[in-house]
């Protein structure tokens, strides 16, 4: 359903992080011997979208994923290359978009935006180890996609572009 390309060394094939209806977050690497798959996370509920935290490097990657049942997860891979997954939000069914970026004035605040069938764009923010949620926008119909953009250079935060059924 969605994919992002992870940072790689110039002489290495990149890993492509994918999410799918079968409930798996997997890494795909295209090798001369053919595709190589690694499962990072799996659950019995389908996954819909994926976003990568800005500033990712080969040794430090954070991904955010949506589950069809409304769960939003954070997956972090550190220098050991081991993945740690955690649920950061339990929302309504139909999460259809996730975007990572700077959506708070304080650059030390980790922020993620989500959108879906709830009709709301919500900002998840982690400050001092705790996640909070605020509604940034509410539409008239279900949301279907959200992405980070830079459309207003007058501030230090990112903007969001959304689309939905309204």
């Amino acid at each position: 359903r969605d994919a992002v390309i992870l940072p790689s060394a110039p002489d290495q094939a990149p890993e492509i992080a994918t999410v799918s209806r079968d409930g798996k977050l997997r890494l795909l690497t295209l090798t001369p011997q053919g595709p190589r798959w690694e499962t990072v996370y799996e659950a019995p509920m389908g996954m819909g979208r994926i976003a990568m935290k800005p500033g990712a490097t080969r040794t430090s990657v954070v991904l955010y994923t949506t589950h069809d049942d409304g769960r939003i997860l954070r997956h972090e891979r550190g220098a050991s290359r081991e993945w740690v997954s955690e649920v950061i939000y339990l929302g309504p069914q139909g999460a259809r978009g996730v975007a990572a970026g700077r959506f708070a004035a304080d650059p030390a605040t980790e922020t993620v935006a989500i959108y879906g069938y709830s009709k709301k764009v919500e900002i998840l923010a982690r400050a001092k180890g705790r996640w909070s949620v605020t509604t940034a926008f509410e539409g008239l119909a279900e949301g279907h996609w959200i992405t980070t953009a830079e459309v207003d250079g007058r501030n230090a935060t990112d903007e969001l572009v959304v689309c939905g059924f309204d």
Side-chain angles (χ1 to χ4, degrees):
R1 286 181 164 171
D2 203 4
V4 294
I5 299 174
L6 304 186
S8 64
D11 60 338
Q12 291 180 331
E15 294 173 302
I16 304 165
T18 67
V19 292
S20 62
R21 179 171 276 158
D22 68 359
K24 294 179 183 175
L25 166 59
R26 298 172 77 194
L27 302 180
L28 167 63
T29 306
L30 302 175
T31 72
Q33 296 76 32
R36 185 180 72 228
W37 290 93
E38 173 191 349
T39 300
V40 172
Y41 168 89
E42 67 181 295
M45 177 60 59
M47 300 180 85
R49 303 288 185 252
I50 187 170
M52 184 169 42
K53 182 179 178 184
T57 66
R58 291 186 325 241
T59 58
S60 177
V61 175
V62 174
L63 301 173
Y64 307 95
T65 58
T66 67
H67 272 283
D68 294 344
D69 64 3
R71 284 179 288 158
I72 307 300
L73 282 83
R74 180 183 190 273
H75 312 271
E76 182 172 12
R77 180 172 74 183
S80 70
R81 299 199 48 86
E82 295 294 320
W83 287 92
V84 175
S85 299
E86 66 175 313
V87 175
I88 62 172
Y89 181 69
L90 297 171
Q93 288 184 346
R96 289 294 177 264
V98 61
R102 182 174 170 197
F103 310 122
D106 181 358
T109 301
E110 182 176 355
T111 52
V112 181
I114 59 172
Y115 192 37
Y117 291 172
S118 71
K119 307 176 190 173
K120 295 178 182 179
V121 173
E122 294 178 300
I123 306 296
L124 310 180
R126 183 169 78 166
K128 298 179 184 172
R130 297 188 56 122
W131 288 94
S132 63
V133 60
T134 57
T135 299
F137 170 80
E138 186 165 355
L140 300 173
E142 292 86 358
H144 201 68
W145 191 263
I146 187 169
T147 191
T148 307
E150 178 53 60
V151 295
D152 183 358
R154 298 176 294 169
N155 59 39
T157 57
D158 295 318
E159 288 78 46
L160 295 164
V161 176
V162 300
C163 68
F165 296 104
D166 59 350

